[in-house]
Amino acid sequence: MAIFYGQRLLSRLQACHLARLGQAFLASAPEDIKQVLGRNEPRKKRWKEKKLKHPCGSLDLDCSWEERLSSVATPLCGLPYEEQLKVKYEKLKSILQTLTARLRKLGANHLTITQMPDEICCPLKPVIPSPIINGYRNKSTFSVNHGPDGNPKTVGMYVGTGKGRNIVCVRANHLLNMPRAHLQIAQCYEEFIRQSSLDPCILFHLGGHWRELIVRSNRKGDTMAIITFHPQQLNHEELSLQKELVRDFFIRGPGAVCGLASLYFQESAMTRCSHEQSPYQLLSGEPHIFEELLGLKFRISPDAFLQVNTAGAEVLYQTIGEMIRAHKDTVLLDICCGTGAIGLSLADQVSKVIGVEVVDQAVEDAKWNAAFNGVSNCEFHSGKAEVVLPQLLMSWPETRPLTAVVNPSRAGLHYHVVRAIRNCEAIRRLVYVSCKPEGETMRNFLEFCCPPNTGKKLKGEAFAPVSAVPVDLFPHTSHCELLLLLAR
């Protein structure tokens, strides 16, 4: 009953949000925003006049913007944590059932389907809980846009969608997964841009400058802030002035209360860009903050990847170590390795670690981390995995077994990476780490486990799912890391 209630609550909250968002926003928005949203006037009138059947029961159309943001960002926050874990378990079981059905259609007769009534392709362990439930995020991204009161210099998180032209930026002060230090920095950034003479950059073609804020932190309490700024047509002197104003505000002005360890500024005319495309400029403080995981010290750069829940990441890495059954002869291939956290945490259990990562700065951090911690059996390669990995595996002897760990983004692994792993007979065990297994990751699972397909150049022996272990790194949300062990 609790599981059913949790799933029903999640779907109803989301449905409620979609149904009421436009109606409530248009009622409270100032006239200039209504004009932007109402370019297609006849359609807008039909939308406003339509009587919406309320799907949420106890939540009416007058619920606050904070409640609406919670229903989007932390949809399970109304459930006790034990019930959240049950909801996530049922979701992952459904995903594995889908994987099993699709593999059967592909003729994957090598699989041993478990005899449980659930008919999933491998045992699914109970969800391992996060050691920390509230305020666990070590990285937060805050946007700038119109708030509920219409102020375009509001710093928070989005309710609504760009496609629906109903975005509202809501302060995130009430979200249970946000640390107080991150919220304080966001509040100070909002104070700064509201006193600035420059406009926010909401749509690139409309001009403006102030963009998103990224906050990173460690368990010691050190914080790093990265401010993104669209230069538009400002000259060098004008840009220098803005950087000086930012520095003064956070070092000697009202923002000094944040006690930033690092303050960065990035000039960017793109939606997302790396340090190589547009360098992070250090305005004040140290170039890095540092974090300790499982007795190792890790250097964190502005765009370095680290699991968003540090305490949960330690549980994740320990679980990966248990699943790969490493020994002193094992060579571990760490694909999408980031700053090397997984490989370095397991380095003392294996003979060698080979890491591959596309972000150059993350590779530099990984090499520094290895040297600082005295780990000598690791090497890290910079470049796209679909380019680097086939070259690494091309000459690898089949008699020397490899164990692989892949931890890609939500976009999953590039097909060439899957093909290189699948066709390298030396790789006998693979742990796939995914926070969204129902997305592109499902395609990867099918490519690893389907029968050989010469048309797709998947010639190697197929993998089979052996076990699935969920680790919760995202309390109050619907997400959960899934570790899927594949072997052949």
Side-chain angles (χ1 to χ4, degrees), residues 259-276:
L260 293 176
S262 306
L263 175 61
Y264 276 95
F265 188 90
Q266 187 185 39
E267 302 167 23
S268 174
M270 296 179 282
T271 303
R272 290 284 186 275
C273 64
S274 65
H275 174 75
E276 289 74 26

Side-chain angles (χ1 to χ4, degrees), residues 204-218:
F204 288 1
H205 68 281
L206 295 181
H209 301 277
W210 301 113
R211 296 180 55 197
E212 71 180 20
L213 166 73
I214 297 174
V215 181
R216 307 194 68 157
S217 60
N218 61 18

